[in-house]
Amino acid sequence: MKWLAIDLDTPAVLIDYETLSKNIDNMSLFSKQYEVALRPHIKTHKMIEIAQWQIRKGAVGITAAKLGEAEIMAQKGINNILIAYPIVGEGKLQRLKKLKETAQISTVVDGLEQAEALSRFGKEHDLQFDVLLEIDTGLKRCGVPPGEAALQLYKRVTTLPRVHIKGIMTHAGHAYGASSPTEVIEIAQQEGYSMVETAVLFQEHGISLQEVSVGATPTVRISGTIPGVSEIRPGNYVFNDMTQVRLGVASHMDCALRVAARIVGHPAADRFIIDAGAKSLALDQGAHGTAGVSGYGYIVGHPELTITRLSEEHGIVQIAEWSSLKVGDIIEIIPNHSCPVVNLTDEVYLIKDSIIAETWKVDARGRTS
């Protein structure tokens, strides 16, 4: 990425327009090629400009992690949203009720208690809730096991008034812990086939599912090709990051998001200090136990440098050998995990034709509830 250092007040989060555009286009083309609906997860970018861009390129709607993200997107005109998180508690249900006034909303359940609460609230307020059953295909986070356990939960939930099960969904986030591209492929195949086999079991019992939805950027180009999968929900693909590079899913050139940081100190021959610390780069070294992570981001064009430690405002950079850089120079960092980096900044700078073309607000920053 090329940018004018004179225009930057570091640390700054930059997005390369051409790379972002290519990433969005490629996933849109993939979804059309395999005839699967694209419902991208916006927790990566949290920006209305990118969500609207994804819709223009054919996405059927978006996925949000939390009610707060969905509320922001609905306020900005996005009207088809899956909240891929169980909605529990009276306050949350009241917010969901209000949100349903302006957008088509689906949510998820993986247990009877969640569905019963939705049913009670629905009866009290004359509401119908569309839900997907969340299936655990290996992450061991949320989700009912695939197969018979999912079928039995479906049968129990369908006895409840005001709750309509549209389909099943999963997130193969454990692919981030894969030790090789081969293992990523194996996890992706397990994700897709577990979901399709569960859908077939439902069909054998006379149950037709509207949606069979898979997610995760590392696995989606495998699981999304399996016949019977109807929807994909990747998120990180818009930016990519060093986690995707290490998993073999992307290259450095595919990483649209960078952090610009300035060298502010050279206190020892083998150490630089930069002005991007944990408040800019995050302490996340990769989601769900990413294998092979070293340091806190990749410094582009300088393999002799490694970000070994972060304080809140300081980054400590180890110099493996002599470096031509000096105090005052700006370096470009591809973060390990782009999602938390976006959530740590109020705005990002869109770089187009080597200049700052636009400044975008991170609309859903900090929407953790």
Side-chain angles (χ1 to χ4, degrees), residues 154-300:
Y154 178 96
K155 289 180 176 179
R156 297 178 73 183
V157 171
T158 53
T159 65
L160 301 173
R162 303 289 180 166
V163 179
H164 171 241
I165 300 176
K166 294 174 59 178
I168 55 178
M169 59 83 71
T170 192
H171 171 59
H174 52 302
Y176 285 98
S179 59
S180 68
T182 299
E183 188 177 355
V184 172
I185 293 171
E186 292 171 353
I187 291 171
Q189 290 173 335
Q190 179 189 22
E191 173 193 20
Y193 284 117
S194 292
M195 293 293 283
V196 171
E197 289 166 4
T198 298
V200 169
L201 177 63
F202 279 43
Q203 290 172 358
E204 291 171 350
H205 286 77
I207 302 165
S208 179
L209 298 175
Q210 182 180 339
E211 296 177 13
V212 178
S213 180
V214 299
T217 293
T219 63
V220 72
R221 291 185 180 274
I222 303 297
S223 59
T225 68
I226 295 172
V229 169
S230 66
E231 181 181 88
I232 57 174
R233 307 183 327 279
N236 190 267
Y237 77 95
V238 291
F239 296 148
N240 292 307
D241 49 32
M242 285 307 299
T243 297
Q244 305 297 342
V245 172
R246 292 188 178 100
L247 290 172
V249 175
S251 69
H252 293 144
M253 295 297 293
D254 298 319
C255 295
L257 183 142
R258 314 289 176 95
V259 175
R262 192 180 300 272
I263 297 173
V264 296
H266 191 184
D270 65 347
R271 186 169 75 251
F272 284 133
I273 306 300
I274 59 175
D275 61 0
K279 288 181 178 177
S280 299
L281 294 170
L283 289 168
D284 191 338
Q285 289 192 288
H288 308 304
T290 303
V293 171
S294 176
Y296 291 92
Y298 173 76
I299 300 176
V300 178

